[in-house]
Amino acid sequence: MKLKEWVILFIFIGMGILAVNLIGYNTSIATSFPGVVVLLSIAFLAVCIWKVIPLKLPVIIYCSLLGLLLASPISPISGFITESAEQIDFKAPLTMVGALAGISIGASIHQLKKLGWRMIIIALAVMASTFIGSVIIAQIVLSITGAI
Amino acid sequence: MEGYKSIFDRIRNEYKLYIVAFSILIIAEIIGEFEFAVGPGMLILFPIFYGIILGVILGPDLIGLLKEKDVNAAKPLVLVAIAPFIVNIGITAAGNIPELVSLGPALILGELGNVFTVIIALPIALLLGIKREAIGAAHSINREVNLALITNLYGPESAETRGTLSVYIMGGLFGTIFFGFLATLVASTELFHPYALGIASGVGAGIMMAAATTSLGHVYPAYADDILVLGAAGDMLTGMTGLYVALFIALPLANKIYSVLEPKLKINEKSKSKVGTERRYDDYEA
């Protein structure tokens, strides 16, 4: 996607976040606005960096690192960034993610019918065992390192 | 989607998608949050779940308001929509840097939990009589990266790729809701610290992590920020290391387990059928 397209799409996503913050969390559009601008500006900057750097990492890694960097104590604007972002409930961007994710899998229902019950059981076993395996290892390492 | 001549071209082609997505968002937010006790766990319904369900219902396989074209247009937009969420987590993480560093070893090693999939889910698959499909299905949690890896290694028409694709589809359809519920179910055992649960929330896709950490945040409000930051960090690590863990650890292990277990199960099948014939023979003699 071209940068211009990212801008238009981010504006659309931003309108969604404002709407969620208003309906779901009773935060006025005026209060949410700086936060939405901050989040989307950082995301856009991350996309620009991602396009320039030839290293093929997922774009969300740049989003996360840039957010971290700009809000960390070394950043001169960390106070503004943190305060603005605090007005946006962390779940607020997720409703649009859900709507788009739902739409994007809307043509997979017929594939589900082909899978058969055994594959469905295995898929659930795969998801559950990955989560449980990870939580067990994390718990053990946290105990050994004395973090908990 | 790539290949639009101009932004206006994109908007002309996709405006219906934007209107529908925005309407779903409004409806989902008006419905709001609900909590149900399901067994020992808690199913916490968030607008993100209704968003997914409404999106699927309106799609070409059910109501058909949105066509195949809209479905394909929506795929790259998921990434655009999740970007501000990830930025926000990065900002939250900035206030938790010392914690992130102290929990680093657990965070990194927690990634190896992916190997449990091979140890637990692969034997289950073999017991259910699945053959080479089991390798693809049970080598990892099968997100985009794994799908690409298996397709690349075994070819798009292979049994292994069919297995991977099955889990990939199921994960896309139910992974988000299942992960949210699973996280509260595992939390209800009270065996694990919220930090460990947070780390484990990051094993799947970003959207699964969002559902799991959001649900856990409800269960442990005092730890909500930490859980979110750890889940996101876990998700990032999975994104960076998942491919290598799958290629160098999980797949060789899966193939090893397969070569050891599969013949044994076959012998069992044979001996069962032998017993069967002998009995029939005995019956005949008698």
Side-chain angles (χ1 to χ4, degrees):
Chain A
M1 283 194 302
K2 296 189 195 84
L3 286 175
K4 277 185 204 165
E5 292 180 281
W6 280 95
V7 173
I8 298 289
L9 293 171
F10 273 144
I11 291 173
F12 169 65
I13 302 297
M15 282 159 43
I17 299 174
L18 289 174
V20 171
N21 236 15
L22 180 67
I23 304 167
Y25 305 97
N26 294 318
T27 310
S28 75
I29 289 180
T31 315
S32 318
F33 194 74
V36 171
V37 172
V38 162
L39 294 185
L40 294 175
S41 306
I42 296 174
F44 181 69
L45 208 56
V47 172
C48 296
I49 294 172
W50 173 66
K51 290 231 173 196
V52 172
I53 295 180
L55 202 64
K56 279 295 149 227
L57 288 172
V59 65
I60 55 163
I61 289 181
Y62 294 106
C63 288
S64 173
L65 290 178
L66 203 60
L68 181 80
L69 204 66
L70 290 172
S72 69
I74 58 161
S75 156
I77 48 167
S78 68
F80 169 70
I81 300 259
T82 313
E83 280 161 32
S84 313
E86 268 170 8
Q87 299 304 319
I88 311 296
D89 190 277
F90 81 90
K91 293 196 287 292
L94 291 177
T95 312
M96 185 61 94
V97 176
L100 290 167
I103 293 169
S104 74
I105 54 183
S108 308
I109 299 293
H110 69 277
Q111 286 173 292
L112 181 72
K113 286 184 206 145
K114 282 192 241 157
L115 294 186
W117 63 272
R118 289 187 300 185
M119 269 303 181
I120 292 171
I121 291 178
I122 290 158
L124 296 177
V126 163
M127 288 190 271
S129 56
T130 308
F131 184 90
I132 292 166
S134 187
V135 79
I136 290 172
I137 291 183
Q139 177 79 17
I140 292 170
V141 178
L142 288 170
S143 308
I144 292 173
T145 56
I148 50 170
Chain B
M1 296 291 282
E2 303 287 338
Y4 284 110
K5 280 195 205 92
S6 68
I7 306 164
F8 299 105
D9 207 26
R10 172 187 277 274
I11 294 171
R12 212 174 16 250
N13 273 292
E14 299 184 353
Y15 75 95
K16 192 166 109 189
L17 171 67
Y18 302 151
I19 295 169
V20 172
F22 211 89
S23 313
I24 291 176
L25 172 135
I26 306 262
I27 295 167
E29 282 302 325
I30 290 171
I31 301 173
E33 295 176 10
F34 287 99
E35 285 183 26
F36 298 98
V38 180
M42 218 195 291
L43 184 60
I44 306 164
L45 295 181
F46 296 106
I48 184 176
F49 297 150
Y50 322 135
I52 295 176
I53 292 163
L54 288 169
V56 171
I57 291 174
L58 295 174
D61 284 359
L62 296 169
I63 288 182
L65 175 68
L66 293 165
K67 308 286 176 226
E68 202 82 45
K69 176 189 92 155
D70 304 305
V71 168
N72 290 329
K75 281 175 190 166
L77 297 192
V78 178
L79 181 70
V80 181
I82 210 163
F85 173 70
I86 302 291
V87 170
N88 207 354
I89 292 177
I91 293 171
T92 312
N96 295 278
I97 292 173
E99 266 171 321
L100 268 177
V101 172
S102 76
L103 302 179
L107 202 49
I108 292 164
L109 290 169
E111 291 309 295
L112 291 176
N114 288 306
V115 176
F116 271 62
T117 317
V118 183
I119 300 167
I120 300 171
L122 184 62
I124 294 175
L126 293 176
L127 282 171
L128 286 172
I130 308 266
K131 301 291 176 197
R132 291 294 302 178
E133 281 88 348
I135 298 278
H139 87 284
S140 77
I141 196 154
N142 285 296
R143 300 324 305 151
E144 281 75 5
V145 163
N146 307 106
L147 186 60
L149 174 71
I150 298 296
T151 311
N152 210 302
L153 284 177
Y154 295 97
E157 301 299 323
S158 63
E160 289 84 352
T161 300
R162 275 202 300 281
T164 294
L165 201 56
S166 303
V167 179
Y168 175 76
I169 293 167
M170 273 293 290
L173 284 173
F174 300 113
T176 306
I177 295 166
F178 184 67
F179 249 72
F181 175 59
L182 182 69
T184 64
L185 194 68
V186 175
S188 73
T189 64
E190 291 179 6
L191 292 170
F192 303 104
H193 193 275
Y195 289 162
L197 292 162
I199 291 170
S201 301
V203 290
I207 190 169
M208 296 179 186
M209 176 274 289
T213 51
T214 308
S215 300
L216 288 169
H218 258 235
V219 181
Y220 302 105
Y223 288 99
D225 265 11
D226 300 308
I227 290 169
L228 189 68
V229 168
L230 288 170
D235 190 49
M236 297 283 153
L237 280 171
T238 308
M240 288 191 271
T241 61
L243 185 68
Y244 305 102
V245 172
L247 186 59
F248 296 117
I249 302 174
L251 266 180
L253 185 65
N255 276 301
K256 185 77 201 158
I257 293 177
Y258 186 89
S259 65
V260 171
L261 278 187
E262 214 271 335
K264 280 193 183 138
L265 291 168
K266 229 179 222 164
I267 288 165
N268 285 344
E269 274 169 27
K270 266 186 198 156
S271 60
K272 261 183 217 159
S273 58
K274 240 183 213 163
V275 170
T277 22
E278 273 163 16
R279 264 203 207 123
R280 240 174 295 158
Y281 186 63
D282 290 345
D283 289 348
Y284 182 75
E285 284 243 296

